[in-house]
Amino acid sequence: MSRCVRHTAALCLLLLVALLVNAARVQIVEAGTLDDNPANRRAAIARYAEPRGDILVDDRPVTGSKDTGEQLRYERVYRDGPLYAPVTGFSSQLYGTSFLENAEDSVLAGTDPMLAPLPLWHELTRSRSPGGRIATTLDGSAQRAAYDGLAGRKGAVAALEPGTGRVLALVSTPSYDPGRLSGNGPAVESAWRRLNGSPDQPMLNRAIRQTYPPGSTFKVVTAAAALETGTVRDLDDPTDSPDPYRLPGSTSSLTNEVDGCEDASLRYAFTWSCNTVLAKLGTRVGLAGMTGTAEDFGFNDRGLRVPSPVAASNFDRRMDKAQLALSSVGQFDTRATPLQMAMVAAAVAGGGTVRTPYLVDRATTHDGSPVRTPGSRVLHQAMNARTAAQLRELMTEVVENGTGGKAAIPGVTVGGKTGTAQHGVGNTGTPYAWFISWAHADGSPEPAVAVAVVVEDASAVRGEISGGGDAAPIARAVMGAVLDGAERKRDR
């Protein structure tokens, strides 16, 4: 009898061990597969069981969470949704997340290990902390000025703090309300189809995901290359520049919209945007010099994030001389995001240093304890300080005496560069109106802001569309908002 008992006990022990091993296998080895199984709703229920952390602008939430009482309990809500959509993106129970809602999802959802009270706490307890907060670098007044300035036209604005790379404004219009994508009902599906099917592409973030021919705003890069390589040694020396200029190895000629460009100095050519002078300077610098300078400003960088991915701005590495000439005035295959052109203006204002743009000032727990503070980083040195000073002089001339007069602000040194970029088959599309600029308040130790504006559908007849007329007033409003905010802070 005792023998049977021993055998039975051994078998029970063996079965118990097998059960424990299988339970461990399911919990450890297959946990990820089970969690990712579409039939498993526990992860989604847990994700929406608690309020999501907030995204802050000027330390005030522009997001929130609404208790629906349903199984997926909390839905995302947005304050001034269309204004901040290019920054926040959306958080949808049906369609996932985008932009900051995606890039900072682990903090906002409470799953980031840095939010846990102890290391590996989330893994051991399979729990999550209350959603953390993401404080942005945005200046709310500048964001509003950019949004109101575009007035629903297709276009974008990017504004940076030159000395740090902080993103002060990031606007894309036409925009949309990301709150319409919260929840999981038929209205959300309808909104998704409508937004994705709209010819205006309201969900396209034109500030960081769309590239445009930069037109004459790229002449800042060409002028920098010419000065850095010694191709031009004095801003006032005449250049050997015919008008019109026959493109090398081609029967096509490049012309100008203004008089006086033949053999004009770099100062005159930059102030009045002489295509012939800058195109020929680009060919004299050469492909290697132009490509190197463009890449030092950030072109061809496919790894830039803010923290959302940024589309790479393009300057071709292989071109013949005719193509190089056109590329040197921002045409041919040269393309840039508004953020990239704001980086160009910021480098000029900041003494030649290109800083990595960043949108997150700090990540914190729900009660404000710091989790992460990204901070400022140098990306490239685009040019030396002397070249940057010469370009500041040229850009100031554009605003004070040239094509950028509508960007002028009393009591403030403003530098700028206009651009009217041709595009489409045979350049038949409505020209893009560009303006890039920076502003330095008198008495301030350093420039406060650098801005890039592009307007796709400027409200003027084709021949009257210009960066100075259509984009410069928007840049002026954004710069003014940043300067006013800085002055209020000094007065406190």
Side-chain angles (χ1 to χ4, degrees):
M1 185 68 179
S2 59
R3 183 179 179 185
C4 291
V5 171
R6 287 196 302 272
H7 287 175
T8 301
L11 178 60
C12 289
L13 180 61
L14 181 63
L15 291 174
L16 178 61
V17 170
L19 182 63
L20 292 173
V21 169
N22 186 62
R25 178 184 63 82
V26 170
Q27 293 183 25
I28 298 173
V29 178
E30 296 187 8
T33 302
L34 293 173
D35 283 344
D36 295 337
N37 191 315
N40 180 11
R41 288 178 57 82
R42 296 183 65 180
I45 292 170
R47 177 181 177 85
Y48 297 107
E50 300 292 336
R52 189 168 172 83
D54 284 325
I55 296 172
L56 313 180
V57 174
D58 296 333
D59 289 327
R60 292 189 294 270
V62 296
T63 59
S65 296
K66 179 178 68 174
D67 189 349
T68 66
E70 299 176 358
Q71 189 179 57
L72 303 182
R73 183 171 174 181
Y74 284 93
E75 292 180 4
R76 197 59 148 167
V77 295
Y78 297 87
R79 300 175 180 88
D80 289 320
L83 174 63
Y84 294 111
V87 176
T88 63
F90 59 80
S91 177
S92 170
Q93 293 170 349
L94 284 181
Y95 301 109
T97 55
S98 67
F99 299 114
L100 272 187
E101 294 276 28
N102 176 266
E104 298 293 347
D105 181 69
S106 62
V107 172
L108 297 169
T111 60
D112 192 303
M114 295 297 291
L115 298 173
L118 296 171
L120 303 179
W121 179 261
H122 290 160
E123 287 77 3
L124 293 173
T125 63
R126 298 185 66 79
S127 66
R128 62 181 67 210
S129 301
R133 292 183 148 199
I134 297 296
T136 70
T137 58
L138 292 183
D139 180 315
S141 297
Q143 185 82 358
R144 173 64 69 180
Y147 185 80
D148 290 347
L150 285 168
R153 293 174 292 177
K154 290 181 183 177
V157 177
L160 302 173
E161 187 175 68
T164 62
R166 291 165 56 94
V167 178
L168 302 178
L170 200 69
V171 169
S172 174
T173 58
S175 190
Y176 71 104
D177 183 359
R180 295 186 178 276
L181 300 178
S182 300
N184 54 11
V188 174
E189 296 179 10
S190 176
W192 179 261
R193 288 193 300 269
R194 185 173 63 255
L195 290 169
N196 280 283
S198 171
D200 289 336
Q201 297 181 282
M203 295 179 70
L204 172 63
N205 191 333
R206 291 171 164 87
I208 64 172
R209 294 283 178 87
Q210 179 75 349
T211 60
Y212 303 86
S216 292
T217 59
F218 190 81
K219 291 172 182 175
V220 175
V221 178
T222 302
L227 291 166
E228 283 285 286
T229 59
T231 304
V232 172
R233 299 188 181 277
D234 190 304
L235 299 180
D236 297 302
D237 281 348
T239 58
D240 180 15
S241 306
D243 182 10
Y245 169 51
R246 176 176 284 187
L247 299 176
S250 168
T251 58
S252 299
S253 294
L254 196 61
T255 58
N256 300 293
E257 298 291 331
V258 296
D259 296 327
C261 292
E262 184 175 355
D263 297 329
S265 66
L266 180 57
R267 185 188 303 277
Y268 184 92
F270 192 93
T271 302
W272 295 103
S273 211
C274 295
N275 291 324
T276 52
V277 175
L278 274 299
K280 186 168 184 182
L281 282 177
T283 63
R284 289 175 59 195
V285 170
L287 180 59
M290 284 298 302
T291 302
T293 300
E295 292 184 349
D296 284 342
F297 275 102
F299 282 77
N300 298 335
D301 185 348
R302 284 164 174 75
L304 186 64
R305 304 178 70 91
V306 290
S308 302
V310 179
S313 297
N314 181 70
F315 190 84
D316 282 358
R317 294 186 171 107
R318 293 183 179 180
M319 291 182 277
D320 61 30
K321 286 191 174 182
Q323 293 165 340
L324 178 60
L326 291 174
S327 295
S328 299
V329 292
Q331 296 290 167
F332 186 53
D333 283 341
T334 303
R335 297 185 69 88
T337 61
L339 179 65
Q340 172 62 71
M341 295 314 296
M343 292 166 62
V344 170
V348 174
T353 302
V354 180
R355 295 190 174 272
T356 302
Y358 66 101
L359 191 51
V360 175
D361 184 61
R362 64 190 181 279
T364 71
T365 61
H366 72 288
D367 58 3
S369 300
V371 171
R372 175 169 29 91
T373 305
S376 175
R377 293 189 298 113
V378 173
L379 185 63
H380 296 289
Q381 188 68 31
M383 56 194 151
N384 63 47
R386 182 175 183 273
T387 298
Q390 290 175 303
L391 283 174
R392 287 196 297 275
E393 186 178 336
L394 292 177
M395 292 181 76
T396 302
E397 287 271 345
V398 170
V399 174
E400 293 182 351
N401 301 309
T403 58
K406 290 187 177 181
I409 301 174
V412 177
T413 301
V414 176
K417 185 70 190 80
T418 56
T420 306
Q422 307 295 329
H423 69 101
V425 178
N427 290 334
T428 56
T430 301
Y432 298 140
W434 276 95
F435 192 73
I436 66 173
S437 60
W438 49 264
H440 190 166
D442 293 350
S444 179
E446 59 186 14
V449 58
V451 183
V453 178
V454 63
V455 181
E456 290 187 33
D457 50 357
S459 54
V461 297
R462 179 183 174 88
E464 296 175 357
I465 293 173
S466 69
D470 297 284
I474 302 172
R476 182 184 189 277
V478 174
M479 292 185 292
V482 173
L483 292 167
D484 288 346
E487 186 175 354
R488 285 194 299 270
K489 288 179 182 179
R490 286 196 300 269
D491 291 341
R492 288 175 187 169

